[in-house]
């Protein structure tokens, strides 16, 4: 469970929720997302018209997933969470999808989980909170980590609590210069969830992770880049273009090799050397059965650029 940054707090359990402002966004084909330059895909073609709060399109082998609740700093509702999980699972299974980008509209990437409607403390039974987290936000973070296609976070603004962890779970993180990251849990007297205590030590080490979680300070995009939370910082008007360039480059790559590489890296910090080496050998064995591996070797021998098909 989490909360949004100080600018727009999301009520916690037991608080009196404010009425939700669920105004419908403009049609997806009408204009680009408010936080992204015109080059960013915004079409919802092929997606349920009843779900405008998560925009989706597939373009040049890239699945673009856009959170679209700018009035709530893109705090995630349970329905949005389930939609994100479904889209990530679909990306894993769809041969036409070879990379994923997660981004958002407005000035916030994601302010955390929207807790409006959560039961008050007096109404909860022992086990309710753990079950909610296990079946909720932990499934979302796992869906990103387990997606068989490379996932890029294009962080356009504030990423707080679960929003920050959603970004950190991605394989690559691009951030606009205006973005900031906040481990907001301590400000609300909460324990970090959504995989925060799992992700952060692996990215920045235990001491830095504890500093971020104990103090709950806002971290600028530049500082996040310096300490290793972000791969690259770009001007806001270049974020969508850069995300497109990175994603389409990945989409032209050897998709199965990238998936196996992702699995090896994600498992590496939890395995001893013998296990890691065995997994590496097994991954290479599997990969050498793919058409892309044969194409890569053939292109090297023939001294030409490879043409990968994701198979």
């Amino acid at each position: 469970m989490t909360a949004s940054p100080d600018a727009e707090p999301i009520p916690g359990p037991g608080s009196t929720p404010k009425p939700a402002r669920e105004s419908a966004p403009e049609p997806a084909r009408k204009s680009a997302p408010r936080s992204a330059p015109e080059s960013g895909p915004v079409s919802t073609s092929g997606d349920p018209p009843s779900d405008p709060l998560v925009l989706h399109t597939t373009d040049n082998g890239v699945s673009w997933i856009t959170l679209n609740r700018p009035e709530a700093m893109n705090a995630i509702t349970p329905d949005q969470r389930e939609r994100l999980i479904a889209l990530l699972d679909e990306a894993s299974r769809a041969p036409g999808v070879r990379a994923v980008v997660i981004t958002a509209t407005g000035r916030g990437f994601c302010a955390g989980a929207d807790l409006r409607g959560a039961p008050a403390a007096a109404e909860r039974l022992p086990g309710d909170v753990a079950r909610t987290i296990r079946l909720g936000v932990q499934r979302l973070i796992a869906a990103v980590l387990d997606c068989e296609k490379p996932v890029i976070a294009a962080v356009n603004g504030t990423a707080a609590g679960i929003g920050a962890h959603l970004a950190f779970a991605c394989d690559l993180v691009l951030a606009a210069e205006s973005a900031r990251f906040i481990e907001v849990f301590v400000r609300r007297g909460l324990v970090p969830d959504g995989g925060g205590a799992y992700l952060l030590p692996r990215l920045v080490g235990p001491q830095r992770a504890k500093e971020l979680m104990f103090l709950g300070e806002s971290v600028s995009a530049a500082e996040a880049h310096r300490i290793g939370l972000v791969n690259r910082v770009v001007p806001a008007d270049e974020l969508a273009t850069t995300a497109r360039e990175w994603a389409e480059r990945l989409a032209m790559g050897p998709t199965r090799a990238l998936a196996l590489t992702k699995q090896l890296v994600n498992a590496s910090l939890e395995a001893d050397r013998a296990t890691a080496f065995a997994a590496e050998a097994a991954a290479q064995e599997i990969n050498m059965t793919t058409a892309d591996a044969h194409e890569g070797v053939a292109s090297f021998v023939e001294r030409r650029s490879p043409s990968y098909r994701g198979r």
Side-chain angles (χ1 to χ4, degrees), residues 125-149:
L125 297 175
D128 283 352
V129 173
R131 186 182 311 105
T132 298
I133 292 171
R134 185 174 65 252
L135 299 180
V137 68
Q138 288 181 350
R139 288 177 51 246
L140 173 59
I141 300 305
V144 178
L145 292 170
D146 295 339
C147 182
E148 295 178 24
K149 309 297 166 62

Side-chain angles (χ1 to χ4, degrees), residues 105-129:
T105 60
R107 62 190 180 90
F109 175 73
C110 177
D114 190 339
L115 299 182
R116 282 175 281 196
E123 301 171 350
R124 291 196 299 262
L125 297 175
D128 283 352
V129 173

Side-chain angles (χ1 to χ4, degrees), residues 23-299:
S23 57
E26 63 270 18
R29 291 185 182 275
K30 184 176 180 181
S31 62
R34 277 159 281 188
S35 66
E38 294 181 358
S39 58
V42 294
S43 168
T44 56
S45 176
D47 287 294
S50 60
D51 187 24
L53 302 183
V54 179
L55 307 179
H56 178 247
T57 190
T58 299
D59 182 31
N60 287 338
V62 180
S63 174
W64 290 80
I65 303 172
T66 305
L67 297 174
N68 191 42
R69 289 185 72 210
E71 74 284 355
M73 295 283 283
N74 292 304
I76 297 177
T77 66
D79 287 346
Q80 284 178 296
R81 179 194 68 222
E82 294 305 309
R83 181 65 176 145
L84 287 170
I85 293 171
L87 287 170
L88 289 162
D89 181 62
E90 177 184 315
S92 288
R93 293 182 286 104
V97 173
R98 298 172 65 183
V100 178
V101 176
I102 299 176
T103 190
T105 60
R107 62 190 180 90
F109 175 73
C110 177
D114 190 339
L115 299 182
R116 282 175 281 196
E123 301 171 350
R124 291 196 299 262
L125 297 175
D128 283 352
V129 173
R131 186 182 311 105
T132 298
I133 292 171
R134 185 174 65 252
L135 299 180
V137 68
Q138 288 181 350
R139 288 177 51 246
L140 173 59
I141 300 305
V144 178
L145 292 170
D146 295 339
C147 182
E148 295 178 24
K149 309 297 166 62
V151 183
I152 297 173
V155 183
N156 53 296
T158 297
I162 297 305
H165 300 168
L166 176 62
F168 299 154
C170 293
D171 302 302
L172 299 171
V173 183
L174 293 170
E177 291 174 342
S178 57
R180 58 188 179 128
F181 301 85
I182 311 172
E183 287 297 315
V184 75
F185 302 91
V186 70
R187 300 185 184 184
R188 312 290 182 248
L190 301 175
V191 172
D193 60 28
Y198 173 86
L199 294 166
L200 279 167
R202 287 163 170 75
L203 293 170
V204 298
Q207 295 300 108
R208 181 76 72 176
K210 282 183 272 190
E211 176 185 343
L212 295 171
M213 291 180 169
F214 287 1
L215 302 181
E217 294 178 347
S218 177
V219 178
S220 68
E223 176 67 5
H225 179 263
R226 188 185 71 82
I227 64 177
L229 291 173
V230 168
N231 292 92
R232 185 176 299 180
V233 178
V234 298
D237 60 0
E238 297 179 13
L239 180 65
T241 300
T242 305
R244 176 185 286 277
E245 291 172 354
W246 281 31
E248 291 186 352
R249 179 175 177 180
L250 291 171
M252 293 177 64
T255 306
R256 297 313 307 163
L258 291 175
L260 290 165
T261 301
K262 174 175 178 172
Q263 292 173 11
L264 289 174
V265 173
N266 285 353
S268 65
L269 295 178
E270 299 163 18
D272 57 36
R273 185 179 67 182
T275 301
F277 277 21
E280 177 186 279
Q284 194 70 283
E285 178 74 27
I286 294 169
N287 190 64
M288 287 307 296
T289 67
T290 67
D292 281 349
H294 290 286
E295 167 63 9
V297 174
S299 66

